[in-house]
Amino acid sequence: DTEVTQTPKHLVMGMTNKKSLKCEQHMGHRAMYWYKQKAKKPPELMFVYSYEKLSINESVPSRFSPECPNSSLLNLHLHALQPEDSALYLCASSQDLGRTNTGELFFGEGSRLTVL
Amino acid sequence: AQSVAQPEDQVNVAEGNPLTVKCTYSVSGNPYLFWYVQYPNRGLQFLLKYITGDNLVKGSYGFEAEFNKSQTSFHLKKPSALVSDSALYFCAVRDNTNAGKSTFGDGTTLTVKP
């Protein structure tokens, strides 16, 4: 069982809708990540938060808006998405981003998003 | 810059036979190397890592991986494959100065037949 919980597991939305994906971890990790994964492809990094501050934004379109309300929660707000944004969105966490941290990632089960 | 290559899209083995899933890497600093497994409709699960020390590292579910610095490889191995090992396997690398940015290989689909 994963210790990173993502909701919802499935989401269908129209291009004009606003929705949010949620992620929660209780491992005491201080780094949290959003990845996008297309079928049978590697995950693509979108955002990284470190100690609740945005640390990395991989030039993601502004229709994706991340939020880290506290050290355990990570949200991804979605607005005006395109059909090509349909994918599995994975949340992950790691201990932190310090150089002494080995950096293995712990993933949630993902939220499968379909944009109509 | 860092990169990972998994030269095989697909690996097929018979149950009970040994398996190897190949991975080569390129980093500018000292490599941190990882293997992850993804079962259908699931997230990725961490299997094992190499940071420093012994070149042979052991991980979950009986998997192990051998770090070879001269060949810049980190192949995943298991002495006796199970049907339940069938999944998508990703190798990942980051250098010790690039916190937060692991680079993943394209993945190798392992199929173990009874």
Side-chain angles (χ1 to χ4, degrees), chain A residues 72-86:
Chain A
S72 299
L73 293 174
L74 185 67
N75 299 322
L76 186 63
H77 303 299
L78 314 171
H79 175 54
L81 295 193
Q82 303 297 310
E84 59 265 28
D85 296 322
S86 298

Side-chain angles (χ1 to χ4, degrees), chain B:
Chain B
Q2 56 192 36
S3 64
V4 177
Q6 293 181 242
E8 300 156 317
D9 291 336
Q10 177 92 31
V11 170
N12 298 314
V13 298
E15 187 173 32
N17 282 1
L19 70 86
T20 298
V21 183
K22 295 179 180 177
C23 171
T24 59
Y25 67 90
S26 174
V27 293
S28 55
N30 293 324
Y32 289 359
L33 293 155
F34 309 89
W35 276 102
Y36 295 88
V37 60
Q38 186 173 31
Y39 297 100
N41 300 311
R42 306 291 294 274
L44 279 71
Q45 292 180 39
F46 167 70
L47 272 181
L48 51 77
K49 65 184 177 187
Y50 172 83
I51 305 302
T52 187
D54 289 342
N55 290 341
L56 185 65
V57 294
K58 295 187 183 296
S60 306
Y61 312 121
F63 284 94
E64 57 191 26
E66 187 168 13
F67 171 68
N68 187 317
K69 187 173 183 178
S70 63
Q71 296 185 7
T72 61
S73 67
F74 188 56
H75 301 331
L76 182 70
K77 301 183 179 187
K78 187 173 183 181
S80 178
L82 300 173
V83 172
S84 57
D85 292 330
S86 299
L88 181 57
Y89 290 80
F90 291 102
C91 181
V93 68
R94 71 174 184 93
D95 72 42
N96 63 340
T97 63
N98 202 1
K101 282 197 175 188
S102 292
T103 298
F104 288 83
D106 285 341
T108 298
T109 299
L110 173 67
T111 301
V112 181
K113 298 187 177 179

Side-chain angles (χ1 to χ4, degrees), chain A residues 8-13 19-21 78 111-115:
Chain A
K9 293 190 184 306
H10 300 275
L11 179 63
V12 179
M13 59 187 292
K19 298 285 185 182
S20 297
L21 306 181
L78 314 171
S111 293
R112 187 164 299 282
L113 173 67
T114 302
V115 182

Side-chain angles (χ1 to χ4, degrees), chain A residues 37 97 101-102 104-105 109, chain B residues 36 38 42-43 49 94 99:
Chain A
Q37 187 184 28
L97 298 187
N101 173 31
T102 54
E104 60 266 35
L105 298 167
E109 299 288 14
Chain B
Y36 295 88
Q38 186 173 31
R42 306 291 294 274
K49 65 184 177 187
R94 71 174 184 93

